[in-house]
Amino acid sequence: MGTRRVALLLLAAAVLQALLAAPAEGVIRIELKKRSVDEIGRIAGRLAGEDSQRLLARRHGFLSNDATGAASKAAAAAEGDIVALKNYLNAQYYGEIAIGTPPQTFTVIFDTGSSNLWVPSSKCHLSIACYFHSRYKAGQSNTYKKNGKSASIHYGTGAISGYFSLDSVKVGGVVVKNQDFIEATREPSITFMVAKFDGILGLGFKEISVGNTVPVWYNMVSQRLVGDPVFSFWFNRHADDGQGGEIVFGGIDPNHHRGNHTYVPVTRKGYWQFDMGDVLIGGKSTGFCASGCAAIADSGTSLLAGPTAIITQINEKIGATGVVSQECKAVVSQYGQKILDLLLAETHPAKVCSSVGLCTFDGTHGVSAGIQSVVDDEVGKSNGVFSSAMCNACETTVVWMHTQLAQNQTQDVILQYINQLCERLPSPMGESSVNCSSLGSMPDIAFTIGGKKFVLKPEQYILKVGEGTATQCISGFTAMDIPPPRGPLWILGDVFMGAYHTVFDYGNLKVGFAEAA
């Protein structure tokens, strides 16, 4: 995703540049262009309100509805054809595609976290958002074919709905024939009204495609429009500095990364999901993912989302404002010592909160007793009425305490530290502000992938909004808790992909990361 981003190398660079200038058969290169940040772009580009958590969870299938999202990338054309991408607040990267014959142009998010292509339809009459964007006119295309099957993609703040149609789709310099896509006839969310993109082009696996339609990328491969079944992202995170970034279909641009890529296998098709190891704050282990977590490389998510327990620790270290959790403080005050005693007695962390009566236990992990737990017959069923908030606060507290005990901290120090963390819980509005003048004292945050530590420096994980005295700094981390067996799970969005050039190897089912250049 991008952003990110002389003399024995001069000769080699000159030769390489000459080669790249020539048409590269089977490679589609899309250059991303930038536009300055404005307030509307900010509104459209960030996840807002409590619904942001539902949106993030829903787009990844952790709530009951289908998935998609907004905020990320673009691609380019063989033989030098370029589709310009615009960048708002390092939160939206998007570029042009064309549908139909003659071509009708649309700006789309290139999203690895979903698999459908959708654009507004000329039949969209009742949603204001449609009148702010280009709309597909089936009657003006000679290659249009009717499908008519209804379709909907659900979000936390609403849903887009419409019906499937079939037409040619131009991506960069190639034309994908007979591509199914959704004509959106309803876009009720304000996000779509103020967004700078018209629609979304999903680059995820067919397994999460609404309507089980074949994704655009699959057809690019099967119609032999790309040389290799690989695409790669580079995002320029300096929103006001030149080229916005680039997505290359069919290959990798060596100019956009330093060193070799570290590859990890896709562990679950649908999203580009893989296994991730420990997360470190300032070089110190949090312990939370030491035994493994799942992660998703998602160009359609602006921020970097992870478990509340770790995001809160990051907030505390970077001085991010949070919300004071009375439930958290109540757990520490009333149950803190008992939780410590259980952990010292080597009670399994997942069973601690059920032992103190704040959660039930389903045989795998603690769950709120206010939610019916369906488990195997041997394990039995749990029921009761408890506070979901208290259960969540307890489980988060256990993670913090367990980590502190592993660092041989005293009990008094642990309880004091946990109370401080209770005041740094991530804002339910989805973002936390920090002092811009404190970037120099903030720690590095590292993620272990494929046995290698991928470090994010403060200037990479802090987003700056505005200019001069009006500049605001926003943490690039947001919280989202996914319980086992799907979680704990991290979503490595544009904040991470901006620092690390990302390769999506469809042919070998693996994801690769290298330092962005």
Side-chain angles (χ1 to χ4, degrees), residues 1 237 302-304 456 460-461 463 476 493-499:
M1 106 188 83
R237 297 295 282 175
S302 305
L303 306 180
L304 198 159
L456 292 180
Q460 295 172 315
Y461 63 72
L463 307 180
D494 298 353
V495 167
F496 186 86
M497 291 177 63

Side-chain angles (χ1 to χ4, degrees), residues 44 182 184-185 208 244 258 305 410 451 469:
I182 298 172
T185 56
I208 59 170
R258 301 184 184 94
T410 66
T469 56

Side-chain angles (χ1 to χ4, degrees), residues 333-398:
S333 173
Q334 299 176 39
Y335 302 94
Q337 189 60 55
K338 189 171 183 179
I339 291 172
L340 270 174
D341 292 341
L342 288 168
L343 289 172
L344 288 168
E346 299 186 354
T347 301
H348 192 288
K351 297 183 178 180
V352 169
C353 292
S354 59
S355 297
V356 298
L358 292 179
C359 299
T360 61
F361 184 71
D362 69 0
T364 305
H365 62 287
V367 296
S368 168
I371 302 175
Q372 185 176 6
S373 176
V374 180
V375 295
D376 294 336
D377 290 338
E378 308 98 60
V379 177
K381 296 183 178 180
S382 303
N383 52 57
V385 180
F386 291 91
S387 166
S388 176
M390 290 290 281
C391 174
N392 292 336
C394 179
E395 291 178 332
T396 300
T397 299
V398 168

